Amino acid sequence: MDTTTEDLEGCYYNRSVKFFYNESGKIISESWRPQDYVVVTLGMAVCFIVIFSNLLVILAIFKNRRFHFPIYYLLGNLALSDLFSGVSYLNMMFHTGPWTIKLTKYQWFVRQGLIDTSLTASVLNLLAVAVERHQTIFSMQLHSKMSRRRVLLVILSIWLLAILMGLVPTMGWHCLCYLSHCSTMAPLYSRSYLVFWAVLNLLTFSIMLAVYTRIFLYVRHKSQQMSQHTSHMRYNDTVVNLMKTVSMILGCFVLCWTPGLVLLLLDGLGCESCHVLHYEKYCLVLAECNSFVNPIIYSFRDADMRRTFRELLCCLYRRRRAHKGHASGVHFNTVEHENHKSTTSTGEEAEEVGQPHNGTPSLESQEPHTAEPSCMLLMETKARDLFFCQKRRRLDPEIPIREPAEVWSTRGSEEVLQKALKANL
């Protein structure tokens, strides 16, 4: 709200957000219209999809040891920036439409600063990925030898720069004292800042495209040289596939963000005939959709990532079913039913490891299958696995057998049983 205290000469610090919107020609409705409800509902749905999908990517990289390399750490940080973008847009959904005119100037700067920070973090992550790929491929390696400490420093630097760029307008690069310099799309931002912001990001896009073009030309040249050496074919295919995945991520990012940045540039240059407000919402939706495109690319391009996604979702589903089973009540099984389950699981286990049902292990099997023990069959599972360990001991005397005595004293602890069985096997 406007205040009655005196402003500095030529400044409008005590004016409300509504005042700046009216001065810039961006009129905000004070009442909710049907289209406002539709925009907020769809926007919130997209935000939740963005948050969940990128959280899945982060968990997959953390869970699968095959992704514990610098390139995947950077892609995980890119997923983190997309997740942060989803949170930023979700915050905007709660402060848009008629809610906008009720914001204080500080709240408005925070809303815009979160989006600027997420965009900067994504751009810097993609630039770091481009530099890492350039350094790695030109040194004929699949993964960089950069230490985890150095990767962590790069990630921290990315977020520090992103936060700094998000705070620049709040620290003084605004139009509160230069009303004629206010932009149309962001009425409290200076037009000069929009020009700087748009040109900086478009220039970064051009640099990344040039780097990836050089990498592709180099990879194609090396592929032709290695085509006669079968020992290098697998390495070459892996490099090309990873490069295609990263390039698709970069291409989608550029396609989704370039229209919005061009629109900001036109607004900053004061193009009154461009009607930037007519295209603002479409560009914003396109930029928001980019945040959940990357998990889709990972699912189609990377078999290991797709398999890890499936494992995480199945684990979540099983835990949900188990929780419902415990909540529904206590179920008692008869002795005959438990014996039938024990016999069935023993037969299935023997078939999976190449053993007949009499428990004699096959010489071709390298390692017996260790099924996850059930609380209902605690002692039967322990005895069965110990029996298999003893059989393996007869085939290979060097395999140590340690009796899990602690299991007998803590029969109700499934965690202790799992540790003991792992020690045996």
Side-chain angles (χ1 to χ4, degrees), residues 362-380:
S362 172
L363 292 174
E364 296 177 356
S365 62
Q366 296 180 356
E367 186 175 358
H369 177 72
T370 57
E372 183 178 357
S374 172
C375 293
M376 300 296 297
L377 299 175
L378 198 60
M379 302 313 302
E380 289 85 350

Side-chain angles (χ1 to χ4, degrees), residues 102-116:
K102 298 180 181 180
L103 297 176
T104 64
K105 290 186 290 296
Y106 175 77
Q107 291 173 332
W108 190 92
F109 278 120
V110 169
R111 188 191 76 171
Q112 299 301 124
L114 291 175
I115 297 177
D116 295 345

